[in-house]
Amino acid sequence: MSCDIISGRLEPCKDSVGGLKAVYFVNYDSDIYTDATIVTGEITGFATPITLYKFDLKGSNNSFDESNENSRDNGTSFWTQTGTLVLKKQDLATQSQLKLLAYGRPLVVVEDYNGNFRMAGFENGAEVTVNTASGAAMGDLNGYNITFVGTEKEPASFIDSAIIGDTTNTVVVPGT
């Protein structure tokens, strides 16, 4: 692998916005990583359809960030992928699914308001922590604060938006 840069970047137009529109959880399976088709860093297909469990998001408290950590002494470089999500209103069905997410190590697809889909924890899965908030005042959050963290050799892969819900590559299970 060459470590030499091969292009620069112009200043982009101011036509993007922040925020997450939805998050999709995928049950961990190491075959997803090994069987994916990746073209110039973008996931363009899967050998068999994967199931995406969709959670709609609304509000400014949902985010996804990545940081790169390097050690010249150890010769290592890796990416920490961190997402914070707020799900409003507690209910038994959501609690049951969140418990399973916390026990597992799902892959996480984030959809932003610019139409981008990215997969965190693509090779190793992500750790999910859930905090339940009841609030103290009438206007406080009654719901769940969720954090997921993936540690990967590569940054979160972009996914071709055309394969989301096309049933050949992905099956989207919406919330109820």
Side-chain angles (χ1 to χ4, degrees):
M1 176 174 106
S2 174
C3 298
D4 295 334
I5 190 168
I6 60 169
S7 70
R9 182 175 193 248
L10 297 173
E11 178 67 19
C13 296
K14 296 177 280 190
D15 61 353
S16 65
V17 295
L20 298 180
K21 185 176 183 178
V23 65
Y24 305 75
F25 292 99
V26 180
N27 289 317
Y28 179 80
D29 181 344
S30 60
D31 289 341
I32 293 171
Y33 177 76
T34 56
D35 293 343
T37 302
I38 302 174
V39 178
T40 61
E42 180 180 54
I43 300 169
T44 59
F46 297 100
T48 58
I50 63 171
T51 302
L52 304 167
Y53 297 93
K54 183 178 181 181
F55 288 65
D56 290 324
L57 302 173
K58 190 76 171 167
S60 61
N61 295 321
N62 304 296
S63 66
F64 175 68
D65 300 296
E66 287 186 290
S67 61
N68 176 237
E69 299 178 43
N70 300 295
S71 171
R72 181 164 303 282
D73 293 338
N74 297 327
T76 58
S77 181
F78 63 94
W79 299 82
T80 301
Q81 306 159 342
T82 306
T84 57
L85 313 169
V86 175
L87 301 180
K88 298 163 213 60
K89 192 174 182 180
Q90 297 175 27
D91 62 73
L92 181 58
T94 302
Q95 177 179 289
S96 298
Q97 293 308 304
L98 294 178
K99 180 177 80 169
L100 294 172
L101 286 172
Y103 289 172
R105 58 176 175 150
L107 288 66
V108 184
V109 175
V110 293
E111 176 186 4
D112 68 22
Y113 280 106
N114 301 301
N116 296 313
F117 292 83
R118 298 191 62 204
M119 184 176 284
F122 186 27
E123 184 176 3
N124 301 313
E127 297 301 321
V128 177
T129 57
V130 179
N131 292 303
T132 304
S134 294
M138 295 277 285
D140 291 348
L141 172 68
N142 175 279
Y144 307 95
N145 291 298
I146 300 162
T147 303
F148 65 86
V149 177
T151 306
E152 300 287 329
K153 293 185 287 187
E154 301 283 335
S157 298
F158 279 86
I159 303 172
D160 181 352
S161 62
I163 70 169
I164 302 296
D166 69 355
T167 67
T168 301
N169 293 283
T170 64
V171 175
V172 176
V173 177
T176 55

